[in-house]
Amino acid sequence: MTGDTNRAITQATQYVEPFSLFSSSDITLFQAGSHYRLYEKFGAHPMELEGANGTYFAVWAPDAAFVAVMGDFNGWDHYSHTLYPRWDSSGIWEGFVPGVKTGALYKYFIRSHSGEELIKGDPYANYWEVRPNTASIVYPLEYEWDDKKWMSQRAKRNSLDSPFSVYEVQLGSWRRPDPSDPERVYSYQEIAEMLVPYVKEMGFTHVELMPVMEHPFDGSWGYQITGYFAPTSRHGTPQDFMEMVEAFHLADIGVILDWVPSHFPYDAHGLYRFDGSHVYEYADMRKGYHPDWNSYIFNYARNEVRSFLLSNAIFWLDRFHADGLRVDAIASMIHLDYSRERGAWVPNELGGNENLEAISFLKKMNETVYALFPDVQTIAEDSTSHYGVSRPTFMGGLGFGMKWMMGWMNDTLDYFKKDPIHRKWYQNDLTFSLVYAFGENFMLPLSHDEVVHGKSPMLYKMPGDDWQKFANLRLLYSYMYTHPGTKLLFMGDEFGQTSEWNYKGELDWHLMQYNTHKGLKAFVQDLNKLYASATALYEQQFDAAGFEWITVNDYDNCILGYIRKGKAAGDVLLVMLNMTPVVREHYLVGLPVAGEWVEVLNSDAPQYYGSGVVNTGVLKTVKQIYNGRDYTLSLRLPPLGATILKLQPAV
């Protein structure tokens, strides 16, 4: 080694002080796949060391031969600030750089053992430049939270026997300052000022945000993430995002975040081949590449990757007070043959198609989340019949709190798309969901996936003329809100959006000038109000004891009837659905209990733009055996409508 080289190395390293935030137990947990607070160690942390202010940097690059931090503080020099590799073969590079302040831009310059040179963003960065720029930003997450009341009460708000009605939102396209300019979006504060009172007015208990984690491509809707530990800078700073979450909490609204531990994109500054080797993804592309999304799959067998993902789940619950995580694309994680042709996947060690490492990780993630935050919910988006997704891990389940009921969504939409004259032949398709409704803790989703890619908006899935489309949609929502399970509705569905969702634009708010759309919006408000106030609809929403069929075999008239029950005796709602446009006067219903009934909601009421076929006053049962029941009630059933009646307490 020449003298010049020695001087160059000395000069390069003199700006970085040896320092570490990692203890030996941190390294042990990291390498065991059990560390859930790595965000306190990795990344960029402004601090004071021996009287000097600066920033401590730490990054995992196990196959790197050389790692330096570069940024606007050193003219983006690749060599002047070389990080130190830890002595313990953990693959961690670290060091303290004096003078680097909050707001500094930075990246990592990495040279692999093969000589390949890469420039990467920080996987643990809390803040990034607004796309298309890709630098990480030194940014601490200090914030004084003012939501203590919500946090102390949310165990009840988030429990499985409480109303759980979710409004799914994509922040950039709910509203825009200029709908014709996709580059302009509202700030987190501006969104909060409009969205919080709207969600409150509509009566939703929770809002679900499509991924807010930093992502380079708007067209991915946030599902192709490069900054797993940073809310997107499109709308402001991390503290601005915290303030928005707090605003929801102050209005007694929970915040669910979409979380994507299934795959990540190949952008040059992201996780893919982070140090020139397959660090975060499987090396075998039969497991590591996702053909549907042109992205890469996390290596769930690698303990350090498990710790990364585990820490990320906890990060959003810890630092951002999220009330739950909706976990995306579970089916693609737990099935090795997901969307793969024969021969394009590798069986597991038992010869099956399950990704045993991914299943093991999801169990570990849920166990950790519920141990640390027992008052939140994890919700699985899974389209398969995998056993026990929402059952405890000690019962062999995956440990989620809830699971999306994709079968209900597909069967229900297929049924409602049919002309009412044909529906009698497909009644069993609609009722099939009750065969398995209590096998999981199901959430009924009508999500963004149903109103994109040529599937048409909800309103235009419905058959018939304009009046019938709205009547059908009100009927569908009536069925959804009275069916066992929690609820999720995508933005725009609540007022009858007439165009497919477009992430570049905003919702069709101009439609609110029309009585048809105003009527639908008012009906969804009243459905949410009923769901939140009627214990019969939520106390036993995951228990077969809370549901009983009343009329299930009247195929010719396309009538369905069932009762929902609360835990208290006599806490009963009767739901009658008329799937045709024919009014049914004096329709007889056999009931197991005697008593007086009062209509509490009717989807055909005039204020919802219905035709006004309603039941007024107190309706009394007659002692008469009908349809195998001891008592009979006579009702008016509205055209393409639902009537919901409540049993009155005995005097």
Side-chain angles (χ1 to χ4, degrees):
M1 189 177 286
T2 65
D4 287 345
T5 304
N6 273 321
R7 280 194 299 276
I9 292 175
T10 302
Q11 189 176 19
T13 56
Q14 68 183 0
Y15 297 101
V16 181
E17 299 287 343
F19 181 74
S20 182
L21 287 178
F22 288 90
S23 65
S24 58
S25 62
D26 284 326
I27 301 301
T28 300
L29 289 170
F30 175 48
Q31 294 180 329
S34 300
H35 206 308
Y36 54 80
R37 291 192 186 271
L38 288 176
Y39 51 89
E40 295 176 350
K41 311 293 179 178
F42 280 114
H45 299 273
M47 58 183 296
E48 181 183 319
L49 181 64
E50 296 179 353
N53 290 314
T55 298
Y56 164 76
F57 294 93
V59 63
W60 181 54
D63 199 48
F66 176 90
V67 177
V69 61
M70 51 189 253
D72 55 3
F73 53 87
N74 66 3
W76 299 97
D77 190 289
H78 292 187
Y79 303 101
S80 62
H81 290 78
T82 307
L83 297 179
Y84 296 95
R86 283 184 63 88
W87 54 270
D88 52 15
S89 302
S90 61
I92 298 170
W93 298 71
E94 60 186 350
F96 174 78
V97 183
V100 176
K101 301 176 181 177
T102 294
L105 305 180
Y106 71 101
K107 286 187 177 182
Y108 294 115
F109 173 73
I110 301 171
R111 183 184 295 127
S112 72
H113 283 296
S114 67
E116 182 180 0
E117 296 183 345
L118 306 104
I119 296 176
K120 293 287 187 178
D122 187 347
Y124 290 86
N126 297 139
Y127 194 33
W128 293 68
E129 285 187 292
V130 179
R131 55 97 182 99
N133 296 326
T134 57
S136 303
I137 304 175
V138 176
Y139 218 84
L141 293 180
E142 284 82 10
Y143 186 75
E144 282 195 34
W145 287 90
D146 192 27
D147 62 351
K148 186 176 180 181
K149 181 182 176 185
W150 166 266
M151 297 296 280
S152 65
Q153 295 177 349
R154 75 174 181 179
K156 176 61 178 169
R157 304 297 184 96
N158 280 341
S159 72
L160 295 177
D161 58 359
S162 293
F164 212 96
S165 176
V166 182
Y167 187 57
E168 186 189 23
V169 176
Q170 203 272 336
L171 290 178
S173 57
W174 183 69
R175 283 189 183 272
R176 284 187 180 272
D178 180 358
S180 65
D181 183 1
E183 287 303 307
R184 289 186 61 197
V185 294
Y186 284 114
S187 68
Y188 288 121
Q189 182 180 4
E190 290 169 329
I191 293 169
E193 288 171 356
M194 294 181 288
L195 184 57
V196 172
Y198 182 79
V199 174
K200 188 72 173 176
E201 172 203 353
M202 291 303 301
F204 291 98
T205 64
H206 293 71
V207 65
E208 180 184 312
L209 305 180
M210 289 170 66
V212 296
M213 298 80 186
E214 194 58 83
H215 54 283
F217 177 46
D218 292 7
S220 76
W221 312 335
Y223 290 98
Q224 300 266 13
I225 297 171
T226 49
Y228 271 81
F229 288 83
T232 178
S233 57
R234 290 167 173 81
H235 307 287
T237 67
Q239 281 78 7
D240 293 336
F241 180 70
M242 292 173 179
E243 190 175 353
M244 185 182 76
V245 172
E246 184 178 83
F248 278 110
H249 287 172
L250 294 175
D252 291 329
I253 298 164
V255 179
I256 310 295
L257 300 182
D258 269 16
W259 185 53
V260 190
S262 47
H263 64 117
F264 56 88
Y266 56 83
D267 296 73
H269 64 286
L271 298 178
Y272 177 59
R273 296 188 73 252
F274 187 78
D275 62 4
S277 67
H278 296 291
V279 183
Y280 288 93
E281 68 275 9
Y282 286 108
D284 185 342
M285 287 299 110
R286 291 174 295 178
K287 288 178 76 173
Y289 177 70
H290 203 300
D292 281 1
W293 302 317
N294 195 22
S295 56
Y296 293 86
I297 299 169
F298 283 103
N299 183 351
Y300 307 107
R302 190 165 194 170
N303 282 340
E304 293 89 344
V305 174
R306 292 165 69 99
S307 288
F308 170 84
L309 290 171
L310 191 61
S311 295
N312 190 240
I314 298 303
F315 172 77
W316 293 100
L317 303 171
D318 175 26
R319 294 300 173 88
F320 291 92
H321 287 201
D323 303 294
L325 300 172
R326 176 269 195 184
V327 186
D328 185 60
I330 295 295
S332 74
M333 292 176 66
I334 64 178
H335 292 99
L336 296 166
D337 59 348
Y338 182 87
S339 198
R340 294 180 188 273
E341 299 294 329
R342 190 172 180 178
W345 60 280
V346 184
N348 63 34
E349 62 199 47
L350 304 176
N353 69 338
E354 290 184 330
N355 187 328
L356 302 177
E357 301 115 31
I359 290 171
S360 164
F361 165 72
L362 289 171
K363 290 181 178 182
K364 174 77 170 179
M365 183 273 295
N366 281 314
E367 288 169 353
T368 306
V369 165
Y370 282 111
L372 296 171
F373 300 95
D375 54 354
V376 305
Q377 291 293 344
T378 59
I379 306 164
E381 188 233 352
D382 178 31
S383 56
T384 69
S385 56
H386 184 85
Y387 166 76
V389 171
S390 60
R391 293 292 176 256
T393 56
F394 64 78
M395 292 175 62
L398 293 184
F400 284 92
M402 285 180 257
K403 170 183 172 174
W404 275 20
M405 199 176 193
M406 309 294 277
W408 170 89
M409 179 269 297
N410 288 318
D411 290 345
T412 300
L413 291 180
D414 284 348
Y415 178 87
F416 272 89
K417 287 174 186 176
K418 290 177 169 60
D419 189 295
I421 201 169
H422 302 303
R423 284 179 177 171
K424 65 181 179 180
W425 307 110
Y426 299 94
Q427 204 91 320
N428 289 340
D429 294 349
L430 190 67
T431 60
F432 178 65
S433 60
L434 270 303
V435 172
Y436 61 93
F438 306 105
E440 299 273 7
N441 299 334
F442 280 119
M443 173 178 278
L444 312 183
L446 292 173
S447 73
H448 64 274
D449 279 328
E450 307 320 309
V451 292
V452 291
H453 302 322
K455 294 180 184 177
S456 85
M458 288 298 299
L459 184 65
Y460 289 162
K461 296 181 195 295
M462 303 296 110
D465 59 22
D466 197 51
W467 186 90
Q468 289 190 351
K469 287 184 189 302
F470 279 95
N472 268 303
L473 197 50
R474 294 193 302 272
L475 177 59
L476 166 56
Y477 292 162
S478 302
Y479 172 57
M480 173 185 184
Y481 270 79
T482 56
H483 188 291
T486 54
K487 329 296 173 188
L488 178 136
L489 204 58
F490 184 55
M491 63 182 196
D493 290 353
E494 76 278 12
F495 62 78
Q497 177 92 355
T498 55
S499 60
E500 284 195 345
W501 171 54
N502 177 11
Y503 71 91
K504 294 180 180 178
E506 69 169 8
L507 299 184
D508 297 334
W509 294 106
H510 65 278
L511 296 173
M512 293 314 301
Q513 64 185 300
Y514 302 111
N515 289 334
T516 47
H517 296 275
K518 283 194 285 192
L520 178 61
K521 176 174 175 277
F523 184 64
V524 172
Q525 278 180 288
D526 287 348
L527 272 176
N528 274 321
K529 191 182 301 181
L530 178 67
Y531 177 46
S533 61
T535 47
L537 289 178
Y538 63 77
E539 276 189 343
Q540 302 191 96
Q541 57 193 345
F542 302 123
D543 190 335
F547 180 90
E548 183 180 342
W549 280 115
I550 295 298
T551 302
V552 73
N553 57 358
D554 189 356
Y555 298 103
D556 285 341
N557 292 319
C558 285
I559 305 296
L560 285 177
Y562 46 89
I563 55 177
R564 296 292 310 277
K565 308 173 201 175
K567 292 178 181 176
D571 183 10
V572 179
L573 286 181
L574 170 63
V575 182
M576 298 300 299
L577 309 175
N578 180 4
M579 303 299 187
T580 73
V582 180
V583 178
R584 306 293 176 185
E585 298 282 1
H586 309 296
Y587 188 87
L588 297 182
V589 181
L591 292 173
V593 292
E596 298 179 341
W597 296 80
V598 172
E599 186 173 82
V600 291
L601 192 64
N602 187 313
S603 68
D604 195 48
Q607 65 264 36
Y608 309 134
Y609 203 71
S611 62
V613 178
V614 298
N615 295 277
T616 57
V618 177
L619 308 173
K620 298 181 180 180
T621 57
V622 176
K623 179 75 167 112
Q624 175 187 341
I625 295 177
Y626 185 79
N627 206 16
R629 311 285 185 175
D630 290 338
Y631 304 94
T632 302
L633 189 65
S634 177
L635 296 172
R636 303 181 78 202
L637 299 189
L640 292 173
T643 175
I644 304 170
L645 302 103
K646 183 173 176 59
L647 179 65
Q648 300 304 290
V651 178

